[in-house]
Amino acid sequence: MSDPLENNAGPDKEPVPDVAEWIKDQPFITTADIEIPTSLLEQVIGQDDAVVVVRKAAEQRRHVMLLGDPGTGKSMLAHSMTEFLSPEEMEDVIAYHNPEDPNEPKIRVVPASKGKDIVNAQKAEANRRKEQKASMLMTIVFMIVGAAILFSFRPDGNGGLGFDPMILIMGIFAAAMVFMVMRYPSMRKDTFMVPKLLLKRDLNEAAPFIDATGSHAGALLGDVKHDPFQSGGLETPAHERVEIGAIHKASKGVLFLDEINMLKMESQQSLLTALQEKEFPITGQSERSSGAMVKSEPVPCDFIMVAAGNLDAMEGMHPALRSRIRGYGYEIYMKNSMPDTLDNRKKLIRFVAQEVVKDKKIPHYSKMAVGEIIHEAQRRSGRRGHLTMRLRELGGLIRVAGDVAQEQRAKYVTLKHVLQAKKIAKPLEQQIADRMIEHSKDYDQVIVEGAEVGMVNGLAVYDSQTGMAEYSGLVLPIVAEIAPALSKDGGRVIATGKLGEMAKESVLNVSALIKKNTGEDINKYDIHIQFVGSRDGTDGDSASISVATAIISALEDIPIDQSVAMTGSLSVRGKVLPIGGVTAKVEAAAEAGIRKIIIPKANQKDLMIETKYKDKVTVVPVETLNEVLEHALIGGAKKQGLMEKLAKLVPKPVVNLPLDGKKATPQ
């Protein structure tokens, strides 16, 4: 049997060289020698179909929906669309006071860079008028005070002048009253109504890219500030309280909304209106605010929308909004892996160089360090012959390795730094799984030596429902016990442990298979199955062969080799079916001290374990339950008898009947 760990064929069945050897022949010394494209679109890696569609959408101003795993390049694709939009169409937006209805500010759109000049001219005019009024006011005040002083002196009847202070005091009081009356209400209403520049653009400015992910309604659609002073001439005019939203800032550019399904349905409805009308009035978003009474004239919002999210984004979207995108744009499903070809490996070399340049804090990578990053991309893809496209997580590893090198004052990031980074930069899910394994070792829940009846080491992956690409494997002991049925109606299969729905269903399917393959009437037994140490997040039917082996061992009283672990789904006809996360499961078993691991033969091509584990374990690919039992059960007369009985019960080969009436041949 060929070693499954040495299968290095790509998805097209053509062998590709080992990364560690291939990287040595590449024409660079460090990533500083790698040329990085200036165009964002050319920096996108592995999403060739999406690149073509996005470029076409930008040129034709179409909306786009990008669905797929996090970290696959959705935001970069959206940002790159601005490179194909003309900045000559940029506009400034100005809000004016409406004397006929102060709660409906007027909106004026002017060419880019003109708005500032208009507002500055209005401010200059307002200041001039303010100075004129102030000068006139002070002239009146001085005239009143001067008159009061003049009339305070009058003849005293003796040929001289007398001074009456009351006249002076009354004059000063009159001057103060005139100043107060003329200073505040009239001055604010007549002089301070300067327009507000809502949106300012420069002629040389590129088309805007606005990331409105997670924005509340006011930040997305615009808002009107609350004004607690609403009387006495102290209020702020409505047009000065108007604030534009992301949809207005993105006009003539791109509006990016990740996790679109998290947007409130009311906001999605308003967004749909903005898409249709290409303009949207600004109003107060809070009903308790004074701004709720204000509603401006429509403000331009002619943007290209790029909505993004995971597959569940479609469920939370407003149907009409999605229909608008489908009818006037494109929907793209992002790839989460790409073929492991020489060309794609070179793209990953460039990706490492791009991440170093973007970070600006870490040193460049050496050849062997880049090779380890590519090897990690192979492992994280979960499929032999593929490279992961979850580049954000891969970029995280690149930065951590760079930080390690920086801390050690190294000139370049080396292979040693990347290996150190892989130990300290594990995902949270992997850290949880590692702690579970360590905890189980303390209490001997996982037995890796000797033989036990009805007890088998199953393998599982921890799924935290976060959408992380890297699985976290753990050893999950499964124990089966047989007891006489307590019910006259027949026995039951009782499974305990925190299992998901799929795992529970797999237990029921296994019971039917055991009855058929062993010839044992299990209706007279109660079969108790315990998943030792299982936790929330353990799901799937990959424990099917483990459950079947444990039950058969308990029924036939044949011990199971505890140095063996296994994973695989099982059809009702005894065929071992492929499962997910096989690499993480095998590595977890090796870490726990398991020496032999049984996996579905169909998963042989997916196995990409670390080099340090290859000498610790023997991986056995199997196709049928009989093969599983042959490798898992301890030899002896009972095992021999069971295998002979199973051989007799195995169905005869299926014969394909030819359509031409000739003799059929067994398959």
Side-chain angles (χ1 to χ4, degrees):
M1 180 184 298
S2 63
D3 187 352
L5 303 183
E6 298 300 326
N7 181 6
N8 199 35
D12 52 1
K13 307 302 181 184
E14 294 182 3
V16 290
D18 182 73
V19 173
E21 295 299 324
W22 172 82
I23 196 69
K24 295 177 182 178
D25 298 327
Q26 296 308 300
F28 73 98
I29 299 176
T30 70
T31 51
D33 303 326
I34 305 300
E35 183 178 355
I36 300 175
T38 56
S39 170
L40 273 178
L41 197 62
E42 293 179 5
Q43 293 181 20
V44 177
I45 295 173
Q47 305 289 354
D48 296 340
D49 295 339
V51 166
V52 173
V53 172
V54 163
R55 180 166 187 164
K56 192 178 300 182
E59 292 172 346
Q60 300 297 328
R61 299 191 63 83
R62 307 289 190 193
H63 306 300
V64 179
M65 176 179 282
L66 301 173
L67 297 181
D69 293 340
T72 51
K74 296 189 287 289
S75 60
M76 181 177 283
L77 278 171
H79 203 163
S80 68
M81 295 178 71
T82 59
E83 298 175 346
F84 303 96
L85 301 178
S86 173
E88 298 177 358
E89 300 179 356
M90 297 294 103
E91 297 173 332
D92 289 351
V93 179
I94 307 173
Y96 285 85
H97 170 65
N98 186 351
E100 298 178 358
D101 185 356
N103 285 328
E104 187 179 358
K106 291 182 175 295
I107 300 298
R108 181 184 175 189
V109 179
V110 298
S113 299
K114 297 295 184 182
K116 183 177 180 181
D117 295 337
I118 294 173
V119 172
N120 287 339
Q122 294 281 349
K123 284 183 179 179
E125 176 64 19
N127 289 334
R128 186 185 65 79
R129 292 176 58 193
K130 179 180 178 181
E131 291 174 358
Q132 286 181 344
K133 277 208 167 185
S135 176
M136 182 180 66
L137 177 60
M138 293 307 298
T139 300
I140 294 174
V141 169
F142 283 128
M143 289 178 63
I144 294 175
V145 172
I149 294 174
L150 180 62
F151 287 108
S152 296
F153 294 94
R154 55 183 180 175
D156 57 1
N158 296 322
L161 292 175
F163 178 75
D164 187 350
M166 288 302 298
I167 295 177
L168 179 60
I169 292 173
M170 292 297 294
I172 294 174
F173 179 75
M177 289 298 295
V178 170
F179 179 84
M180 294 293 294
V181 170
M182 296 184 64
R183 172 67 178 174
Y184 289 98
S186 61
M187 288 287 286
R188 286 186 61 88
K189 291 181 180 178
D190 296 340
T191 309
F192 286 84
M193 292 305 178
V194 178
K196 180 179 181 180
L197 184 59
L198 296 179
L199 184 60
K200 176 183 174 295
R201 296 275 171 73
D202 294 328
L203 288 174
N204 298 325
E205 182 181 356
F209 173 78
I210 305 298
D211 188 348
T213 301
S215 298
H216 56 78
L220 178 65
L221 306 171
D223 204 351
V224 180
K225 293 179 180 179
H226 175 67
D227 184 8
F229 303 102
Q230 288 294 299
S231 60
L234 301 177
E235 70 275 6
T236 302
H239 75 282
E240 291 187 11
R241 294 186 283 129
V242 171
E243 299 290 337
I244 60 171
I247 61 173
H248 308 107
K249 294 177 183 178
S251 187
K252 305 300 182 181
V254 175
L255 177 71
F256 180 64
L257 285 166
D258 202 358
E259 303 298 339
I260 182 69
N261 55 313
M262 301 304 293
L263 201 62
K264 290 183 178 180
M265 201 58 69
E266 296 84 357
S267 296
Q268 292 191 43
Q269 179 66 48
S270 298
L271 189 60
L272 174 62
T273 303
L275 286 176
Q276 293 173 334
E277 304 298 330
K278 301 186 184 304
E279 58 182 14
F280 193 80
I282 300 176
T283 187
Q285 296 296 327
S286 174
E287 295 180 356
R288 298 183 179 181
S289 169
S290 61
M293 297 295 295
V294 179
K295 183 178 181 180
S296 74
E297 292 181 345
V299 180
C301 55
D302 184 11
F303 56 84
I304 298 174
M305 186 178 76
V306 179
N310 301 323
L311 282 179
D312 60 354
M314 295 184 293
E315 301 175 3
M317 280 191 68
H318 193 293
L321 179 60
R322 188 187 170 202
S323 176
R324 183 77 184 180
I325 297 175
R326 293 182 64 186
Y328 295 88
Y330 300 89
E331 291 184 337
I332 303 172
Y333 182 54
M334 305 291 289
K335 297 177 182 178
N336 57 14
S337 68
M338 61 182 177
D340 184 8
T341 63
L342 302 185
D343 185 56
N344 284 337
R345 287 183 181 182
K346 293 177 182 178
K347 291 180 180 178
L348 281 183
I349 295 176
R350 195 188 73 202
F351 171 73
V352 176
Q354 289 175 186
E355 292 299 296
V356 172
V357 172
K358 287 179 183 178
D359 189 79
K360 299 179 181 179
K361 300 177 184 177
I362 60 177
H364 278 281
Y365 271 59
S366 66
K367 274 188 179 183
M368 299 310 295
V370 173
E372 185 60 28
I373 295 295
I374 297 175
H375 174 65
E376 187 65 17
Q378 292 175 326
R379 295 185 66 255
R380 295 191 181 193
S381 70
R383 301 169 61 191
R384 181 171 290 277
H386 282 75
L387 300 166
T388 184
M389 284 300 304
R390 294 181 61 115
L391 299 180
R392 184 177 296 132
E393 283 81 8
L394 203 62
L397 176 62
I398 292 170
R399 279 178 280 278
V400 173
D403 291 342
V404 172
Q406 189 78 6
E407 183 182 14
Q408 298 178 6
R409 300 184 183 280
K411 187 176 181 180
Y412 299 110
V413 179
T414 64
L415 174 60
K416 178 186 70 173
H417 300 134
V418 179
L419 295 177
Q420 291 176 358
K422 288 171 68 173
K423 292 181 180 179
I424 65 176
K426 292 181 179 179
L428 183 61
E429 292 80 6
Q430 183 65 57
Q431 297 178 44
I432 294 172
D434 290 346
R435 191 167 299 179
M436 288 180 183
I437 294 172
E438 290 299 322
H439 185 72
S440 64
K441 287 180 180 178
D442 294 339
Y443 293 93
D444 292 328
Q445 291 181 345
V446 178
I447 301 174
V448 298
E449 296 180 349
E452 295 284 343
V453 174
M455 183 172 181
V456 63
N457 287 318
L459 297 173
V461 288
Y462 182 80
D463 182 8
S464 65
Q465 305 299 323
T466 61
M468 295 294 292
E470 303 82 9
Y471 286 108
S472 302
L474 65 156
V475 180
L476 184 66
I478 300 173
V479 181
E481 191 67 42
I482 307 298
L486 297 178
S487 173
K488 295 180 180 181
D489 298 331
R492 299 177 298 162
V493 177
I494 304 168
T496 59
K498 294 184 177 181
L499 302 179
E501 291 300 322
M502 292 179 64
K504 292 179 181 178
E505 291 175 2
S506 71
V507 172
L508 298 177
N509 291 338
V510 165
S511 64
L513 177 66
I514 292 172
K515 181 176 180 181
K516 176 180 179 181
N517 284 4
T518 64
E520 186 75 32
D521 184 8
I522 63 173
N523 285 331
K524 58 184 179 182
Y525 301 112
D526 281 342
I527 301 177
H528 296 262
I529 304 170
Q530 181 182 13
F531 289 74
V532 181
S534 64
R535 290 168 170 81
D536 290 332
T538 305
D539 205 347
D541 63 347
S542 63
S544 296
I545 64 170
S546 305
V547 171
T549 303
I551 294 175
I552 291 174
S553 170
L555 279 171
E556 302 292 336
D557 194 30
I558 302 174
I560 299 172
D561 186 354
Q562 296 303 296
S563 68
V564 175
M566 60 186 70
T567 180
S569 182
L570 198 60
S571 74
V572 292
R573 294 190 174 184
K575 185 176 177 62
V576 180
L577 305 176
I579 44 81
V582 64
T583 296
K585 293 176 181 178
V586 170
E587 290 183 345
E591 195 70 38
I594 300 294
R595 294 189 293 275
K596 182 189 289 186
I597 304 169
I598 299 172
I599 67 170
K601 189 172 183 179
N603 285 123
Q604 181 176 345
K605 64 181 184 301
D606 300 328
L607 199 56
M608 291 285 296
I609 70 173
E610 293 277 18
T611 304
K612 64 179 180 180
Y613 296 121
K614 290 185 177 181
D615 296 331
K616 293 184 178 180
V617 295
T618 300
V619 178
V620 181
V622 298
E623 292 184 285
T624 65
L625 178 61
N626 290 17
E627 294 179 68
V628 175
L629 298 175
E630 181 68 40
H631 289 283
L633 299 180
I634 296 295
K638 288 186 177 180
K639 175 184 176 181
Q640 187 65 28
L642 173 64
M643 299 311 296
E644 291 176 357
K645 181 169 62 173
L646 289 176
K648 294 178 182 179
L649 292 173
V650 171
K652 295 180 181 181
V654 178
V655 177
N656 292 332
L657 297 178
L659 299 178
D660 56 5
K662 296 180 180 180
K663 186 177 180 180
T665 55
Q667 301 297 315

